[in-house]
Amino acid sequence: TTVFVSGVTGYIAQHIVKQLLAKGYIVVGTVRSTEKGEKLKTSLNSDKFSYEIVKAIEEEGAFDEALKKHPEATIFLHTASPFHFNATDIEKQLIIPAIYGTKNALKTIKQYGPQVKRVVVTSSYAAMFPKDDTDATITVNENSWNAITKEVALTNPLFGYIGSKTFAEQAVWEFVKTENPSFDVSVINPVFVFGPQAFDENAKGTLNTSAEIINSIVQLKPDDNVPNIEGGYIDVRDVAAAHIIAFEKKEAISQRLLLSAGRFTCQDILDILHEKFPEYAANLPKGVPGSGKEATFAVLDNKKTKEILGFELRNLEQTITDSIKQILTNK
Ligand code: NDP
């Protein structure tokens, strides 16, 4: 079975490919340049992996040629989407690639991929985000939707990213409703994704946006404040496994899988650093150990997702320990 993966050089996608290859699938991925494709091919070291170039997913017909070359691909995973908070033109750099990248993928599959049976789109918890994620009286589940408007999304890059994911996922379900495609669709909605890079050599310099949260804590100076980022966490290896289950299991058809293993604060991460890497952490701030548990959060109810997945999610300690081990061995 051949699986087509957009944005295959991404942090999450590299884990997806590794797991797909380990399970005996053949993988065709899209990358933005030959250089990036060759680098990943070398790391994967598998003749079951090949790549096609798709420079900009937002360009009309971006996936047409790549998919036409692979009439053997029966599964399509759309993971490519910009994830960063440094956009200077929010609409052009975040919102348009997210929405049109998604629409283009679906259109190409409908037109040139009649053999494709299952499509999995990587959305985000951003598309489910409640009015106040720290309000413990709110419950978020697989039916929740972020109410963000385009106007608000354009006000800053964080809202821009959140809006981009919300609007892109709306486009998915709109397509399913209006185009009545012959393939089945599942959507993956992860919270903050942590855990090691698929290959150790990638754990250098500035990391992808979510992994960089951990990396930046590892690099803190003794007198720095503890960053105030907090939310839900999920291990990247579990996110990759969920993408595979999403097309393997029929229970996942037409579902949104809300991937979260629990809540975290940067204080919690720092506490793990001090406990597991005491020598290294001696030069890091202490914050107020244990105070992370005072943070309040909306209730995240993903029972339905966990039932579909059917495997145990990694906890914060394991995710963070494995991330940090990799960062420190690369230092
Ligand atoms: P990465 O930034 O590591 O991966 C993003 C991938 O998309 C890269 O391969 C990137 O290529 C590609 N890409 C981005 N914009 C374009 C474009 N305009 N044209 C072509 N390719 C493009 O991020 P992640 O692996 O973390 O994210 C993967 C998916 O998961 C995204 O959809 C993201 O929104 C979603 N997600 C991530 C979470 C997280 O915490 N990491 C949480 C929830 C959802 P290149 O690197 O060459 O630019």
Side-chain angles (χ1 to χ4, degrees), residues 3 8 14 20 23 35 41 54 60 69 72 75-76 100 115 140 156 176 204 219 248 257-258 274-275 283 323 330-331:
V3 184
V8 77
Q14 290 195 27
L20 283 169
K23 291 190 85 171
E35 193 192 337
K41 200 165 166 50
V54 174
E60 177 87 45
K69 282 197 211 158
E72 75 285 10
I75 292 145
F76 192 120
Y100 286 91
Q115 79 286 358
V140 183
N156 68 54
V176 170
K204 284 198 183 87
Q219 322 291 343
E248 284 182 338
L257 302 183
L258 169 44
H274 282 286
E275 192 196 322
N283 296 316
S323 306
N330 265 282
K331 254 177 113 68

Side-chain angles (χ1 to χ4, degrees), residues 5-207:
V5 183
S6 75
V8 77
T9 55
Y11 167 60
I12 295 172
Q14 290 195 27
H15 280 279
I16 295 176
V17 179
K18 251 173 101 170
Q19 291 186 17
L20 283 169
L21 294 173
K23 291 190 85 171
Y25 289 100
I26 297 166
V27 180
V28 178
T30 72
V31 302
R32 304 180 88 169
S33 68
T34 308
E35 193 192 337
K36 288 183 180 181
E38 285 303 311
K39 183 171 177 245
L40 180 60
K41 200 165 166 50
T42 305
S43 302
L44 287 166
N45 188 26
S46 164
D47 58 4
K48 300 276 189 336
F49 171 77
S50 65
Y51 63 86
E52 299 293 339
I53 310 274
V54 174
K55 274 205 185 77
I57 53 175
E58 62 270 34
E59 279 171 13
E60 177 87 45
F63 294 103
D64 288 359
E65 296 313 313
L67 191 63
K68 276 193 218 165
K69 282 197 211 158
H70 294 282
E72 75 285 10
T74 53
I75 292 145
F76 192 120
L77 313 183
H78 178 54
T79 81
S81 203
F83 181 17
H84 57 78
F85 303 127
N86 42 38
T88 47
D89 184 335
I90 292 168
E91 175 142 43
K92 190 162 163 243
Q93 294 170 300
L94 293 172
I95 296 181
I96 288 180
I99 298 178
Y100 286 91
T102 302
K103 285 187 175 178
N104 285 340
L106 297 172
K107 270 203 246 172
T108 300
I109 301 164
K110 187 169 180 199
Q111 200 170 355
Y112 300 110
Q115 79 286 358
V116 174
K117 300 280 175 276
R118 299 285 288 262
V119 174
V120 180
V121 178
T122 317
S123 180
S124 171
Y125 180 62
M128 298 175 159
F129 213 75
K131 214 164 97 195
D132 180 357
D133 199 39
T134 66
D135 181 345
T137 66
I138 295 176
T139 296
V140 183
N141 64 22
E142 290 87 350
N143 300 318
S144 302
W145 274 98
N146 188 338
I148 192 168
T149 60
K150 174 99 182 271
E151 197 185 5
V152 172
L154 291 174
T155 56
N156 68 54
L158 171 63
F159 290 167
Y161 172 70
I162 290 176
S164 81
K165 297 305 287 182
T166 306
F167 309 145
E169 196 196 321
Q170 285 166 352
V172 173
W173 298 117
E174 184 63 27
F175 186 94
V176 170
K177 203 167 87 190
T178 58
E179 300 286 322
N180 194 28
S182 60
F183 50 81
D184 289 312
V185 176
S186 310
V187 168
I188 308 284
N189 301 73
V191 294
F192 280 111
V193 181
F194 298 143
Q197 302 292 320
F199 299 99
D200 289 346
E201 65 262 27
N202 296 342
K204 284 198 183 87
T206 304
L207 306 182

Side-chain angles (χ1 to χ4, degrees), residues 271-292:
D271 291 351
I272 294 171
L273 255 159
H274 282 286
E275 192 196 322
K276 300 282 171 187
F277 305 89
E279 265 177 60
Y280 178 81
N283 296 316
L284 294 178
K286 279 216 155 50
V288 183
S291 62

